């Protein structure tokens, strides 16, 4: 006999009891949680601490067959990689109608930069430095996800990284802790809003805790080794910001940090996250990261790994099934306390109550809302808007850009007509074929404005075939200007996608050389998920636009910028090296005792390359120019807790309106420890008319 009615009775009593005393919501929820906990067997408690992927998609090495039976038996309290109202309703019905207690499931998914309306990859969005735009992007992603039956996104990824070889830099906000913290806050706010009373917000998940973005040699999952000072100064701030913004979940990272795998790291999870920073939500592991502590050589076997994870503070085991298989035995042996399990289950049940799932397990299951919200035209317009803001103009010799209307164009390159790659890595339920390519956008413009548009692919992203060069060169000679759209494939970045050489793959650079040899101006549009090295192109192209992976409306956004309908305002949030040999290279470096001097020997330099990057953090051009003058700071001396107020006059000295991101950096000249040459501590993005201040 299912006791869902009994659970309902218990919840009604619990609600009546607490509402009579009109106690705060959180106390009411505590009473309700305790009432449910009291009904649960130990196996059911452990079930709430277990999440499995469905077989709809795979985001890791294993898929567990028969997860439906785990739901029925109460051995699985959450699922991921399952979405749409139809599918989540079906699974929720199993939980609510076929399990003993009918505790509703939580549905999670990697909605990293959009559910169906795909936004620019997070690294691209961060180059907009526009927190309101990033909050809106996350808010739309939340609305579409919730409309599709989802309760929880495994985002924002807030791992700071100085490692362009690491494929997951595409998922974060670059190398700076101050900017990364603001972005973390904006995204949590966008996903979660102020409460879950409606049906358009989802749980955020701060990941990957912690230090995942600093793998040695840039190889995903590799060892992370840094001092606590480096961790707290440069890598921890965005995690902290996300917690302070109210994120309700945190995901542990695969890596070890200073020898201790994050998933079994009591200092990280219990001391830093909970005690020091007051995190009250629940901690989920990454995909089988408990099991992987055996590979790390930190656990003797999976049972031992489960004990280490539980005692470190992990609440939910993602996909590993370790808690399900061994935790009961560990509790019986007194190695893990049932009291600790109760605390973990309380945190998970509380969040299910906060979402309103006990009141209505099908609250997020409305097919009419799903049809109305997913891919809404307003969402696609917003995607185009933030895509334009994410574009960074890296070079513009002789005002090659903006394009002159009416001029004939040769649009070439392997990514010019490509739609599928525009969604980038970690694009979940995104549909590449629904993107609008650069060629689509230019064909629409040509039809409206009547200019001559020619297209030829020229070459592939990878491979050695140069047979397509000739046709592309031919149309290039015929056109007034050549636009070459080149770069990586979307699968060259993202998880398990590190690259030792971050050059532009295949024969694309040779292709650009052939185009430049025509003598026509060549505009290079880059599509990539990480900083790349392209010194020859940097020197010889007429103009270079960093377009990243811009999502559903990437093509039109690129057209808007190339034609000057939008004056590019993006600034890099991650340093572009000249050569992989400079990596790690980042702006907030220290002076050292022998600071760089290219003209003498005995200093911190290379024999074969300068120290400076190809393009630094904070760099980006505009179609107009700005001058800065008369910067004033309110005082000469400051104490540690003082606020520095700096003002500067910024004048638009060009002929078109534009947005400038005014950046404020500080340097601690003499510290009790060595400090970076410069640290970003403030910025403002302002739009000014031509010739105006
Ligand atoms: C993956 C990723 C993590 C993701 C999780 C669920 O391995 O590391 O970011 O949220 O598994 O898909």
């Amino acid at each position: 006999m299912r006791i869902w009615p009994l659970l309902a009775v218990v919840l009604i009593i619990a609600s009546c009891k607490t509402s009579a005393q009109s106690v705060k919501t959180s106390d009411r929820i505590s009473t309700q949680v305790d009432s449910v906990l009291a009904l649960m067997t130990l196996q059911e408690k452990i079930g709430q601490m277990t999440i499995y992927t469905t077989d709809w998609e795979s985001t890791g090495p294993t898929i567990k067959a028969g997860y439906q039976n785990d739901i029925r038996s109460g051995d699985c309290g959450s699922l991921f990689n399952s979405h749409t109202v139809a599918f989540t309703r079906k699974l929720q019905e199993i939980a609510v109608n076929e399990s003993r207690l009918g505790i509703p499931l939580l549905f999670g998914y990697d909605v990293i930069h959009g559910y169906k309306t795909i936004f620019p990859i997070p690294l691209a969005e961060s180059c907009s430095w526009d927190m309101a735009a990033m909050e809106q992007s996350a808010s739309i992603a939340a609305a579409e996800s919730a409309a599709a039956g989802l309760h929880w996104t495994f985002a924002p990824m807030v791992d700071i990284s100085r490692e362009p070889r690491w494929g997951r830099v595409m998922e974060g906000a670059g190398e700076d802790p101050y900017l990364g913290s603001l972005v973390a806050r904006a995204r949590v706010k966008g996903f979660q809003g102020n409460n879950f009373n409606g049906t358009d917000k989802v749980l955020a998940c701060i990941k990957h805790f912690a230090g995942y973005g600093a793998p040695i040699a840039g190889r995903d999952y590799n060892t992370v080794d840094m001092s606590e000072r480096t961790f707290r100064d440069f890598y921890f701030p965005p995690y902290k910001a996300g917690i302070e913004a109210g994120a309700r979940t945190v995901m542990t990272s695969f890596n070890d940090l200073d020898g201790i795998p994050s998933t079994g790291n009591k200092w990280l999870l219990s001391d830093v996250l909970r005690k020091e920073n007051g995190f009250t939500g629940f901690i989920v592991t990454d995909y089988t990261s408990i099991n992987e502590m055996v590979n790390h050589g930190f656990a003797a076997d999976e049972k031992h790994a489960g004990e280490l994870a539980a005692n470190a503070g992990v609440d939910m085991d993602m996909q590993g099934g370790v808690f399900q298989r061994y935790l009961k035995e560990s509790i019986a042996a007194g190695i893990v306390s049932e009291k600790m399990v109760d605390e973990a289950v309380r945190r998970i049940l509380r969040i299910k109550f906060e979402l309103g799932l006990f009141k209505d397990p099908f609250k997020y299951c409305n097919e009419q809302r799903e049809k109305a919200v997913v891919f809404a035209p307003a969402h696609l317009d917003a995607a185009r808007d933030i895509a334009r803001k994410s574009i960074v103009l890296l070079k513009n010799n002789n005002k090659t850009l903006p394009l002159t209307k009416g001029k004939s164009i040769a649009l070439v390159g392997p990514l010019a007509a490509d739609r599928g790659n525009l969604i980038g890595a970690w694009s979940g339920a995104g549909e590449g074929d629904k993107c609008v390519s650069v060629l689509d956008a230019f064909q629409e413009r040509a039809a409206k404005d009547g200019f001559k548009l020619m297209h030829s692919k020229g070459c592939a992203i990878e491979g050695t075939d140069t047979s397509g060069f000739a046709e592309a060169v031919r149309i290039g000679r015929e056109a007034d200007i050549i636009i070459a759209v080149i770069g990586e494939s979307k699968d060259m970045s993202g998880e398990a996608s590190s690259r030792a050489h971050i050059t532009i793959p295949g024969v694309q650079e040779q292709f650009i050389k052939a185009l430049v040899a025509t003598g026509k101006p060549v505009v290079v549009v880059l599509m990539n998920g990480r900083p790349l090295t392209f010194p020859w192109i940097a020197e010889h192209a007429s103009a270079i636009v960093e377009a990243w992976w811009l999502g559903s409306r990437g093509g039109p956004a690129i057209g808007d910028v190339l034609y000057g309908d939008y004056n590019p305002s993006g600034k890099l949030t991650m340093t572009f090296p000249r050569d992989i040999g400079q990596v790690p290279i980042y702006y907030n470096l220290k002076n050292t005792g022998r600071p760089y001097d290219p003209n003498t020997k005995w200093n911190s330099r290379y024999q074969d390359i300068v120290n400076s990057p190809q393009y630094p953090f904070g760099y980006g051009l505009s179609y107009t120019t700005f001058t800065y003058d008369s910067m004033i700071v309110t005082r000469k001396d400051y104490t540690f807790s003082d606020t520095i107020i700096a003002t500067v006059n910024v004048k638009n000295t060009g002929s078109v309106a534009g947005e400038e991101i005014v950046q404020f950096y500080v340097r601690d000249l003499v510290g009790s420890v060595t400090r970076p040459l410069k640290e970003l501590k403030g910025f403002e993005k302002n739009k000014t008319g031509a010739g105006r201040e």
Side-chain angles (χ1 to χ4, degrees), residues 51 53 58-61 80-81 108-112 153-155 157 159 168 171 205 207-208 212 220-221 251-254 284-288 292 318-319 426 495-496:
I51 177 170
T53 180
S58 154
T59 50
F80 65 113
N81 291 331
Y109 193 44
D110 293 285
V111 182
I112 309 299
T153 177
F154 303 136
M157 183 275 221
D159 303 315
R168 299 195 78 165
E171 215 175 330
C205 182
K207 71 181 187 182
H208 305 78
Y212 183 36
D220 206 356
Y221 316 120
M251 183 182 290
T252 66
S253 59
F254 290 117
V284 63
T285 71
D286 204 336
Y287 204 112
T288 63
E292 293 169 17
M318 179 184 277
Q319 191 56 21
W426 281 117
E495 185 174 353

Side-chain angles (χ1 to χ4, degrees), residues 631-644:
M631 183 173 111
I632 303 164
V633 284
T634 44
R635 297 202 332 243
K636 192 170 176 304
D637 299 309
Y638 295 87
T639 65
F640 189 74
S641 55
D642 282 339
T643 298
I644 301 174

Side-chain angles (χ1 to χ4, degrees), residues 490-536:
K490 68 180 177 63
D491 299 327
M492 289 179 174
S493 58
E495 185 174 353
S497 306
S498 297
R499 292 179 66 209
H501 303 287
I502 53 173
T503 52
I504 298 176
V507 295
Q508 297 181 82
E509 184 156 304
Q510 282 168 251
F511 179 53
I512 299 299
K513 286 181 179 173
L515 297 169
V516 167
T518 64
K520 293 293 175 76
V522 178
V523 176
V524 171
V525 177
L526 285 173
M527 292 189 179
N528 43 298
R530 57 157 57 81
L532 297 176
T533 53
F534 44 91
W536 190 91

Side-chain angles (χ1 to χ4, degrees), residues 10 29-39 346 349 353:
V10 161
I29 290 181
S30 297
T31 307
Q32 291 172 319
V33 164
D34 286 343
S35 308
V36 173
L37 196 68
L39 295 173
R346 277 197 182 89
L349 293 178
F353 273 105

